[in-house]
Amino acid sequence: MSTLVLKFGGTSVGTTDLISSAAKIIQKEYEDGHNVAVVVSAMSGATNSLIEHVNSIGQENEAEYDVVVSSGEQVTAGLMSLALNKLGIPARSWLGWQLPILTEGDHKSAMITKIVPDKIEIEFKKKRVAVLAGFQGISNDNRITTIGRGGSDNTAVFLASSLNADRCDIYTDVDGVYTSDPKVTSKVRKLDKVSYEEMIEMASQGAKVLQTASVESAMKHDVNLHVRSTFNPADTGTQISRDIEESNERAVTGVAYSKDEAKITIIDLDDRPGVAAEIFESLSAKSINVDMIVQNNFIERKMTNLTFTVPMTDLKKSLDVITVLENQISFTRVLSEENLSKVSIIGSGMRNQPGIAAKMFTCLSENKINIEVIATSEIKISVLIDRSMTEKAVNALHEKFGLDQL
Ligand code: ADP
Ligand code: ASP
Ligand code: MG
């Protein structure tokens, strides 16, 4: 008998009718004789409106934020159990604290450290389906935590690993992982297989179909991960796995983008050991995720210009951090720019093929798109550009690398 973890995202459970249709997907797996654990997200839009409620009170308290914002998943878990009961399937809901799902780290972005699967295994013995609220856990001091936006994916993967599940299916509103976001590029193709590494890069560069941390967990624990459509469950979707042979045939596997970028440049910064460490440690202490970093030093002047990007939502917080540092380090000015996008090409085949960066930059220049910052890894090249050019850049690169034709 196989054990399956099925996760349903916000759009898949956006109404009670949709919850009832998703319950039929669960029913099929259950009636095929599998042990089934289900992870649900909040109904689409619910998390955002809970965040708006918190913001409208206007009081910073991340522990209480988590209490409020985690509640969307509780509603769906109860509704999904009811929908299963209506189909005659014995099921019950489980909240993070009831298992428990243990987390560490800051509220709003806690990390799951352990899921105790014992109670779910008892449910399986009784031939019952367990429906878990995704996105939430508890801290060492017994407070409710949340694990970052899109975190239900990671709840599902972690649960699959804890239960030693045969498969973890992430049901969403598209048929699988595509060469780019189907909402932005019309000629996208669905990928049958993507390597963990490529998927981590695609997710971290903005392909939100899977949360980055969930793919990292899947890779670490060898979870057999699939992305499938709630609206077309007959399609087998995309498998994310360790096998990268197929991926190696192509230099570029996908194009991803993120529109939430801001750039900060510190001008005429002291060029001495420890300055960068001081700046980035201070930003990290405030949980600010720095992404692209470029430094240009003028050796004869013992000065340097330091440019880096942060999520737009962290721009103000980042500038405040730098203002505080003014007493410790010397610089002349700080410039910042909003409304930028990062566009990235990703592919493990890049390792073996020269000229990919040149081809990317030529394509952007042919389309009159100016590059502000460049960052690379072994299997990724990212550029920072004006946000208004995002769709143009994504479509042009998708075509240039023949992703519509493979
Ligand atoms: P869920 O609510 O199910 O968690 P998300 O909205 O988080 O779903 O993720 C699914 C969305 O990810 C799709 O609707 C699609 O627009 C977007 N997306 C971005 N890049 C890709 C990609 N490369 N492949 C598939 N979907 C992508
Ligand atoms: N409901 C949460 C969010 O919108 C978590 C999730 O859906 O995965 O971010
Ligand atoms: Mg998601």
Side-chain angles (χ1 to χ4, degrees):
M1 181 185 292
S2 313
T3 295
L4 308 181
V5 173
L6 313 180
K7 179 257 169 178
F8 293 88
T11 28
S12 306
V13 292
T15 63
T16 47
D17 283 347
L18 288 170
I19 291 176
S20 299
S21 340
K24 292 194 180 121
I25 297 176
I26 302 167
Q27 178 182 30
K28 181 170 182 313
E29 301 289 15
Y30 175 79
E31 289 177 351
D32 283 348
H34 303 301
N35 291 324
V36 184
V38 177
V39 173
V40 287
S41 286
M43 295 166 83
S44 56
T47 307
N48 286 344
S49 60
L50 290 165
I51 293 173
E52 275 169 29
H53 286 323
V54 173
N55 291 343
S56 68
I57 299 272
Q59 173 67 32
E60 289 259 325
N61 181 331
E62 297 194 335
E64 298 306 345
Y65 168 102
D66 278 353
V67 172
V68 177
V69 171
S70 62
S71 64
E73 272 69 14
Q74 172 166 345
V75 172
T76 324
L79 291 172
M80 182 61 88
S81 299
L82 290 171
L84 288 166
N85 295 161
K86 195 170 173 194
L87 293 172
I89 298 169
R92 68 154 277 190
S93 61
W94 293 91
L95 301 182
W97 61 270
Q98 292 173 313
L99 289 177
I101 297 175
L102 305 173
T103 65
E104 268 175 16
D106 296 341
H107 279 279
K108 284 173 101 169
S109 57
M111 276 177 339
I112 302 181
T113 50
K114 190 174 179 183
I115 297 185
V116 182
D118 308 13
K119 290 175 182 150
I120 296 181
E121 278 158 356
I122 294 169
E123 293 290 281
F124 288 163
K125 287 201 181 100
K126 294 185 192 159
K127 296 265 168 285
R128 292 165 67 94
V129 172
V131 184
L132 267 78
F135 185 47
Q136 55 173 263
I138 54 165
S139 60
N140 291 334
D141 55 350
N142 249 353
R143 301 286 327 249
I144 307 277
T145 53
T146 62
I147 58 171
R149 296 304 305 267
S152 300
D153 293 339
N154 203 18
T155 309
V157 169
F158 223 100
L159 179 67
S161 155
S162 310
L163 290 168
N164 219 347
D166 298 270
R167 224 172 60 218
C168 177
D169 288 345
I170 305 289
Y171 279 93
T172 183
D173 59 354
V174 286
D175 283 353
V177 179
Y178 283 83
T179 46
S180 189
D181 186 349
K183 286 183 187 136
V184 165
T185 313
S186 57
K187 291 186 186 153
V188 285
R189 281 179 321 98
K190 196 189 75 178
L191 299 161
D192 293 332
K193 271 189 167 191
V194 184
S195 71
Y196 289 127
E197 286 186 292
E198 286 175 320
M199 195 63 233
I200 288 169
E201 289 283 14
M202 281 176 79
S204 66
Q205 300 311 314
K208 69 172 187 159
V209 62
L210 284 173
Q211 192 214 29
T212 312
S214 73
V215 195
E216 286 165 353
S217 302
M219 180 163 159
K220 189 165 164 202
H221 303 289
D222 254 317
V223 171
N224 182 13
L225 184 62
H226 295 249
V227 176
R228 306 179 64 163
S229 167
T230 317
F231 309 117
N232 181 16
D235 194 305
T236 51
T238 302
Q239 183 184 14
I240 327 292
S241 69
R242 206 165 287 280
D243 165 22
I244 59 160
E245 268 168 45
E246 194 204 47
S247 310
N248 264 337
E249 288 168 15
R250 54 203 177 210
V252 175
T253 303
V255 184
Y257 67 92
S258 143
K259 286 183 168 179
D260 166 44
E261 305 288 325
K263 183 178 88 170
I264 296 176
T265 303
I266 309 179
I267 309 276
D268 287 346
L269 186 64
D270 245 359
D271 190 14
R272 61 170 168 84
V275 170
E278 267 176 75
I279 294 170
F280 293 118
E281 267 167 17
S282 307
L283 291 164
S284 144
K286 294 275 175 204
S287 303
I288 297 166
N289 232 332
V290 174
D291 184 18
M292 301 164 122
I293 303 175
V294 180
Q295 181 176 295
N296 261 326
N297 60 345
F298 316 107
I299 295 166
E300 65 286 3
R301 287 169 52 205
K302 290 230 174 277
M303 300 264 189
T304 181
N305 284 353
L306 179 67
T307 297
F308 55 92
T309 62
V310 293
M312 215 145 81
T313 42
D314 284 341
L315 177 60
K316 190 184 166 304
K317 205 158 71 162
S318 308
L319 293 172
D320 290 346
V321 167
I322 296 163
T323 307
V324 171
L325 282 174
E326 230 168 337
N327 303 325
Q328 287 154 252
I329 52 177
S330 117
F331 53 86
T332 53
R333 258 180 326 148
V334 180
L335 309 178
S336 67
E337 199 179 334
E338 293 178 80
N339 298 326
L340 297 168
S341 275
K342 186 177 52 169
V343 174
S344 310
I345 55 172
I346 295 116
S348 45
M350 249 182 231
R351 284 195 184 101
N352 315 320
Q353 289 195 32
I356 303 299
K359 192 168 168 179
M360 179 183 195
F361 304 152
T362 304
C363 170
L364 294 170
S365 102
E366 282 164 357
N367 284 278
K368 309 219 168 342
I369 299 169
N370 190 41
I371 303 172
E372 299 214 10
V373 179
I374 300 168
T376 61
S377 81
E378 232 190 340
I379 64 162
K380 171 210 80 184
I381 305 168
S382 301
V383 292
L384 193 70
I385 60 171
D386 192 274
R387 201 207 275 173
S388 63
M389 293 291 179
T390 317
E391 282 78 8
K392 192 174 182 188
V394 170
N395 280 291
L397 291 168
H398 195 268
E399 195 182 328
K400 185 80 170 184
F401 286 96
L403 292 178
D404 44 348
Q405 283 159 23
L406 288 175

